[in-house]
Structures are given as C-alpha cells and as structure tokens.
Amino acid sequence: MKYSTVFIVPYFGSLPHQMPLFLKSCAYNSDFTWMIFTDDKSYEQFDVPKNVMFIDFSFNQFNDLLKSKFGNDVTIQSPYKLCDLKPMYGYIFEDYISKYDYWGHTDLDIVFGRIADFISDDILERYDKLFCLGHFIIYRNTFDNNRVFMSSHKGAYIYKQVLDNPNICWFDEEWKDDNNINRIFLENRKDVLQDDFSLNFSDKHNSFKRVVYCGHDDPRSDEQGYYLEDNENTRYFWSDGILFSITVANGVMQKREYMYMHYMHRNMKIPANVASVKNLLIVPNSFIPLNHIPESLFELNAIHYNKLNFDMTLRKYRLWFKDFPNKVSRKIRHLLGC
C-alpha cells in the first residue's frame, strides 16, 4: 500500500491469554503496524511479528504523558478509562507516529482478517476518519485532524467533560448519545466512512449474534443505530489470515468475508499450538483447529459443537442481579408517575 497506518494500543495489566492469536492475525496484515504500550513483559515469550512493536510503558508514564498534553490536573485513575481517550491518541502519542500517514486504535479482544481487502489506498485518500466503533477506527494523521476532538459540539467541549469524568462516557464510538467523536467529525464536515465490516458479536447472547452498526437513518436500526443480524445456519472460520462465515441458504453454501472479529467479554479458548495452526473453526467460547475448511454441505454439517457459552450465561445473570435494584426503582417510579 502507498499509505502507512499504525495502530496505537496502550494496555496496562496482564495481557490477555488470546494474545498469540491476536499477533498471528496481525502478521497476515504486513501493510499495517501496531504499537502496543504495556507494562506486561510477558510479550517476550510470544512469537511477535515484524509489524508489531511492544513498547515498555507504565501506567504512571502514560499519566505523565497525559499531563504534558492537557495540563497537570489531568490524569486517569483506571486503565479502563483509556476507552474514552482513544480519539485523542493521535495527539497524545504524536511524537511516536510522525512518520505514518494514518493512525488508528484497536482492542486486543480481536482477531483480524485481511484488512487490506476492505481498506485500499483509494479509500484512505477519501476519508479523514474510517469507521464508528471504538474497537477499530482509523484517522488521517495530520496536525489538524488529530485535534478535531477538541472542537466544540453543540456549544460544549465534550473532550474536557470526558477528561473530568472518571466514568466511561463512550466518547470513542457511536453509543448511548451523540456526545462522541463521530458526531464531532461529522459536525465539522469531515469525511467519515461509516460502514461496518466487522464481525462484532453481542455480549448479551450465549450464541453468536452479530451486532451491526447501520446509523439511525437505517430502517433496521434500534435507538442506538444498530441492528442484530440473523445468524442462523452460519458457521465462522479463520483460515490463512482470512476471516469469514459460511451460511447455508436454500441448500447453497454462501461465503462472506469480514475485516475483523470482536469477541467482547467472551473468555475465548485458543489452542496451545495456535502458532502452527492454519485453519480455525470459531465457536461461542473457543477457536478450534481444523484440518481443512469444509467444501461441501456434507463436510459442513459434520461439524458439531456446543453453541452455548456458559461464561456468557453467568455474566448475563450477574448483570441482571446487579441491575435488579435499578429495575425495581424504575418500576416504582413508573407506578407512582414520577
């Protein structure tokens, strides 16, 4: 590719156990670079591809960098708050990324397909910002573009509110309300690619249910701008760097490719020999090695697996019980007409 892109990933604490698979999928995307700032040196035991750089960096160092950019009063108390700071990375880490044409941010609970199958030089030339979901967004790396997040939105400087608030504000993506980076870019008449090429699975279901961002104008949209895709008769695979599904419709196998998979909150198991595995079947709680990808309905139907993820079941009930007092309070207020 003519243009260079680097993904910035600060991560503090123990790296996820799925890291070898994340790195393996990065290796198939040699046109892109990853910078992972972390205080966990366990990466030294991984097979790290040439396009991934681990930079030893502590949480305190990150806060020092934050203060140097926004003033001595600005720090974050928890690494989880990094979610809100993602749109600011081009400004915060600008000394690290000056040689790149574009920069982005990704999560680590991701397996990449072939990114270049979806992002070409022509597409990069057209847009200042690509995508709307916080687990994968790309920005044009210019002085002005890296400071768009500082622009006012509906008369307020949202980024200042975000930095002052210790709680998560979902500033990095389209969620909850319109006080996010996407709306700021659109309000400033920036060119934004709002398509969703991800395989983003809902964390509210045991089985795989793909959540698709479509925007509020789409008739399929819920109040947040998303819809839930019907994934019946669909299996998911990763093979030689390509992420795809096979769906059976009217007795015909239909293949569909995705840019990446996001398995948020799923404790996905990976094979011990993942570095040497060529083909993977992806099920709700595991990546399972395959000798080859099914080429016929007979081979596809011969694959059996447990569609349930009991970790997700436990999480669902924990969240339900946690929110139970709020449910009761809302019901009482409704009955009282408050």
Side-chain angles (χ1 to χ4, degrees):
M1 296 181 70
K2 179 171 65 173
Y3 297 113
S4 58
T5 302
V6 60
F7 293 102
I8 305 167
V9 188
Y11 194 93
F12 304 106
S14 299
L15 291 165
H17 73 268
Q18 300 94 347
M19 203 67 195
L21 181 55
F22 173 89
L23 295 172
K24 183 182 179 78
S25 69
C26 291
Y28 281 89
N29 290 283
S30 57
D31 290 324
F32 300 85
T33 301
W34 281 261
M35 285 185 184
I36 302 176
F37 297 80
T38 184
D39 55 0
D40 182 2
K41 292 193 176 184
S42 67
Y43 68 82
E44 295 173 351
Q45 65 183 308
F46 300 142
D47 184 9
V48 180
K50 294 180 180 179
N51 60 331
V52 177
M53 292 178 279
F54 280 94
I55 299 172
D56 293 332
F57 214 76
S58 70
F59 188 57
N60 286 337
Q61 283 178 283
F62 178 82
N63 269 325
D64 287 342
L65 184 58
L66 205 58
K67 286 188 284 189
S68 73
K69 292 293 185 177
F70 296 105
N72 288 331
D73 294 334
V74 177
T75 59
I76 59 173
Q77 303 304 311
S78 166
Y80 188 52
K81 182 63 177 177
L82 287 167
C83 295
D84 278 337
L85 273 57
K86 289 176 180 176
M88 310 178 195
Y89 286 172
Y91 172 65
I92 296 171
F93 291 99
E94 61 184 346
D95 290 341
Y96 291 86
I97 62 172
S98 59
K99 72 175 185 178
Y100 297 95
D101 301 304
Y102 291 80
W103 67 272
H105 50 76
T106 72
D107 290 347
L108 295 183
D109 52 351
I110 276 179
V111 177
F112 297 103
R114 295 284 176 86
I115 299 173
D117 287 354
F118 298 88
I119 302 174
S120 64
D121 286 324
D122 290 341
I123 289 178
L124 287 172
E125 284 181 350
R126 289 171 54 191
Y127 295 102
D128 302 300
K129 177 179 179 289
L130 291 85
F131 311 118
C132 305
L133 306 180
H135 33 82
F136 188 103
I137 293 180
I138 294 175
Y139 299 85
R140 191 187 304 278
N141 188 20
T142 66
F143 183 91
D144 291 336
N145 205 53
N146 293 344
R147 288 158 175 77
V148 171
F149 75 88
M150 297 180 179
S151 304
S152 64
H153 177 57
K154 294 185 176 180
Y157 292 99
I158 306 300
Y159 84 98
K160 292 184 178 180
Q161 299 174 10
V162 169
L163 291 172
D164 287 340
N165 189 343
N167 299 314
I168 298 300
C169 304
W170 293 280
F171 184 59
D172 60 323
E173 63 183 354
E174 286 279 2
W175 187 248
K176 295 294 184 184
D177 55 40
D178 64 355
N179 291 326
N180 61 67
I181 190 62
N182 201 53
R183 301 301 178 92
I184 294 174
F185 264 73
L186 293 173
E187 186 174 326
N188 281 270
R189 300 185 181 279
K190 293 291 185 176
D191 294 316
V192 180
L193 177 63
Q194 300 191 78
D195 294 340
D196 185 358
F197 303 135
S198 71
L199 186 56
N200 181 33
F201 289 124
S202 168
D203 63 348
K204 295 180 174 62
H205 297 82
N206 297 314
S207 58
F208 280 156
K209 298 289 184 182
R210 184 184 178 222
V211 181
V212 184
Y213 177 75
C214 59
H216 292 81
D217 295 332
D218 193 297
R220 298 168 295 179
S221 169
D222 61 14
E223 66 275 9
Q224 303 290 349
Y226 295 80
Y227 71 89
L228 203 61
E229 191 174 78
D230 183 5
N231 300 121
E232 289 296 320
N233 302 316
T234 301
R235 306 285 176 89
Y236 300 95
F237 303 90
W238 185 92
S239 178
D240 262 349
I242 299 175
L243 176 69
F244 61 95
S245 63
I246 297 178
T247 300
V248 178
N250 299 319
V252 178
M253 293 171 60
Q254 301 173 347
K255 182 178 177 180
R256 181 180 181 184
E257 189 178 344
Y258 303 92
M259 189 167 64
Y260 66 92
M261 169 191 173
H262 181 227
Y263 53 88
M264 177 175 59
H265 297 140
R266 292 178 182 268
N267 185 25
M268 299 289 288
K269 301 176 181 66
I270 65 171
N273 62 337
V274 68
S276 59
V277 171
K278 181 179 179 180
N279 304 307
L280 291 167
L281 168 68
I282 307 171
V283 303
N285 63 354
S286 302
F287 296 92
I288 302 173
L290 290 178
N291 290 328
H292 68 279
I293 300 299
E295 297 180 356
S296 67
L297 281 174
F298 177 80
E299 290 182 337
L300 188 67
N301 292 330
I303 297 175
H304 298 285
Y305 64 90
N306 185 356
K307 293 185 178 181
L308 297 181
N309 183 337
F310 292 106
D311 289 334
M312 297 302 291
T313 302
L314 291 173
R315 179 179 183 275
K316 178 180 178 180
Y317 284 109
R318 281 199 301 267
L319 291 175
W320 190 90
F321 282 111
K322 181 179 180 181
D323 193 49
F324 183 73
N326 295 326
K327 292 178 186 291
V328 173
S329 177
R330 288 194 296 267
K331 185 68 173 179
I332 292 173
R333 289 199 302 270
H334 175 71
L335 292 173
L336 296 177
C338 300

